[in-house]
Amino acid sequence: MYQWETTQAVTAQRVFGIIRTAGPKEAVAAAEAVLNAGLHAVEIALTTPRALTALARLAETHPDALVGAGTVIDAAAARAAVEAGARFLVSPSLHPEVIRTGHRYGVPVFPGVATPTEMVRALEEGADALKLFPASAVSPSWLRDVRAALPQAPVLPTGGVTIDNAPEWIAAGAVACGMGSALTSGGARSAGERVSTLLRTLAEAR
């Protein structure tokens, strides 16, 4: 896929999973639970011990899934993640070198932003989409107001997004939401049920 095709695929369902666990075995299990339930995209946070091991394993066993790397904050981590099989990169903050590294290898990058100024700067640096982080610090109405001035900004609220308020973020103009424990906790069966319900709800939120 080209960068723009991957970005479209990651955001197509309006939600992607965030996996942050105590180790690679747990990360693979959590990712498989939501992928098997029908979610197409997940990111493995690099704060997970041996995260690249989990990422490489998922890339090998789920070649059709969109498995990315999260918490990518420097060029070295970006390169390592791409080599492990990451198909997109996500950061909690804005690091131009991560964007340049991802793009050098045809991988889209979603840097973290928290203000309109950071959104514009990230777009100028070539960001493929913007991770609004932490989303819990603002609200869907805030995003609606910002997008009135910056309608070109493809925003991904992350951090504090829940099953209940995710549709509100989409209705406010977000292209997709990143969700962690709110989506993945409770074991495979519970996660699967939440994924199925959420996908139906988000499909109607627009």
Side-chain angles (χ1 to χ4, degrees):
M1 288 185 177
Y2 293 109
Q3 286 172 211
W4 64 270
E5 291 177 305
T6 302
T7 300
Q8 285 186 333
V10 170
T11 60
Q13 291 182 304
R14 310 299 186 195
V15 62
F16 59 93
I18 300 171
I19 309 300
R20 192 185 307 274
T21 63
K25 182 178 180 180
E26 296 88 344
V28 169
E32 288 182 334
V34 294
L35 290 172
N36 291 339
L39 199 65
H40 294 165
V42 296
E43 66 167 84
I44 306 299
L46 296 190
T47 51
T48 297
R50 296 174 61 203
L52 295 180
T53 299
L55 200 161
R57 176 63 176 167
L58 288 164
E60 178 183 0
T61 58
H62 295 76
D64 295 329
L66 294 157
V67 181
T71 325
V72 183
I73 59 175
D74 57 41
R79 172 67 185 271
V82 171
E83 289 181 341
R87 298 179 67 179
F88 61 98
L89 304 176
V90 187
S91 303
S93 44
L94 175 57
H95 303 279
E97 67 271 24
V98 172
I99 298 174
R100 288 194 296 270
T101 301
H103 288 181
R104 187 175 296 126
Y105 300 104
V107 174
V109 181
F110 312 147
V113 297
T115 67
T117 298
E118 291 178 352
M119 289 180 180
V120 172
R121 184 184 169 207
L123 291 173
E124 291 172 344
E125 294 288 352
D128 299 278
L130 310 175
K131 172 180 174 175
L132 175 60
F133 180 78
S136 58
V138 291
S139 66
S141 62
W142 180 91
L143 176 60
R144 185 178 292 108
D145 290 343
V146 169
R147 291 198 74 258
L150 299 173
Q152 74 275 25
V155 179
L156 312 171
T158 305
V161 178
T162 67
I163 299 292
D164 293 330
N165 67 24
E168 297 177 28
W169 286 107
I170 298 301
V175 295
C177 295
M179 297 182 64
S181 59
L183 193 64
T184 62
S185 63
R189 181 174 180 178
S190 295
E193 291 174 352
R194 281 194 295 272
V195 168
S196 298
T197 299
L198 182 61
L199 291 178
R200 288 195 303 270
T201 304
L202 292 181
E204 301 169 355
R206 281 289 191 184

